């Protein structure tokens, strides 16, 4: 039963955090390069344009849609703009849910269980370096999806970590030491 609740908490946290990165107020608007300019990763090849095909003119007139250039995917955000790590903590004696999302530039946001912002700030350069080192040492690709094996901690917290495309869930009493180092490098889950 506790494993089911842990997985449910991970899924709830992932859904809440996915909404945080889906074009919120701080997200840059996607832009497209001017026609004829080179795109990143295309070795200077010109971008597609609305010019007619070499075979002849494109059909036009009433009822015929104008040809359009294929849309190039917008470049991925740089690490300074993108999310570095997101951790959701739920449970405890009061049964509260709080998330902390840290971006690559060290800015962070604290969210309540309804994904409302309840705090924000920016890590110091040393604090950001400490968090990055803890994340690298945690080796997320090789951690189990659900960390188990420790003693049951009644009224303990459950955590859902999301970093580098990997999700890991753990409960108090079963948190691997490498994840405990990540927790200690994060901003507080508590306001104040």
């Amino acid at each position: 039963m506790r494993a089911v609740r842990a997985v449910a908490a991970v899924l709830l946290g992932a859904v809440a955090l996915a909404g945080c990165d889906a074009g919120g107020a701080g997200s840059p608007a996607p832009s497209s390069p001017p026609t004829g300019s080179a795109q990143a990763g295309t070795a200077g090849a010109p971008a597609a344009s609305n010019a007619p095909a070499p075979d002849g003119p494109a059909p036009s007139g009433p009822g015929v849609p104008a040809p359009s250039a294929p849309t190039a995917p917008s470049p991925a955000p740089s690490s300074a703009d993108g999310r570095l790590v997101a951790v959701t903590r739920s449970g405890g004696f009061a049964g509260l849910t709080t998330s902390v999302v840290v971006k690559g530039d060290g800015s962070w946001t604290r969210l309540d269980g309804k994904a409302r912002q309840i705090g924000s700030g920016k890590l110091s350069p040393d604090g950001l370096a400490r968090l990055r080192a803890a994340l690298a040492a945690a080796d997320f690709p090789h951690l189990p999806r659900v960390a188990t094996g420790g003693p049951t901690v009644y009224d303990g917290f459950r955590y859902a970590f999301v970093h580098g495309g990997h999700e890991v869930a753990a409960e108090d009493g079963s948190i691997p030491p490498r994840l405990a180092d990540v927790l200690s490098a994060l901003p507080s889950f508590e306001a104040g």
Side-chain angles (χ1 to χ4, degrees), residues 18-143:
C20 294
D21 263 359
S27 298
S31 62
S32 58
T35 303
S37 67
Q39 302 251 339
T42 59
S49 69
N50 287 340
D55 306 353
S60 63
V64 178
S68 63
T71 328
S74 45
S78 69
S79 62
D81 297 325
R83 181 178 65 191
L84 178 62
V85 65
V87 182
T88 298
R89 181 182 80 170
S90 60
F93 182 74
L96 299 176
T97 299
T98 307
S99 299
V100 172
V101 180
V102 181
K103 290 186 175 186
D105 66 355
S107 61
W108 58 268
T109 305
R110 184 183 308 113
L111 306 166
D112 68 8
K114 296 184 180 189
R116 294 180 299 216
Q117 184 174 328
I118 56 173
S120 63
K122 189 162 184 173
L123 293 172
S124 68
D126 289 341
L128 180 58
R130 181 174 163 233
L131 177 59
R132 285 184 182 277
L135 289 167
D139 193 18
F140 273 75
H142 295 101
L143 287 171

Side-chain angles (χ1 to χ4, degrees), residues 136-159:
D139 193 18
F140 273 75
H142 295 101
L143 287 171
R145 297 259 308 152
V146 178
T148 59
T152 299
V153 177
Y154 296 101
D155 294 326
F157 289 109
R158 292 177 299 281
Y159 298 89

Side-chain angles (χ1 to χ4, degrees), residues 165-186:
H166 300 280
E167 298 177 27
V168 177
E171 295 182 353
D172 281 341
S174 296
I175 298 174
R178 295 179 294 176
L179 286 181
D181 292 343
V182 171
L183 283 176
S184 69
L186 288 172

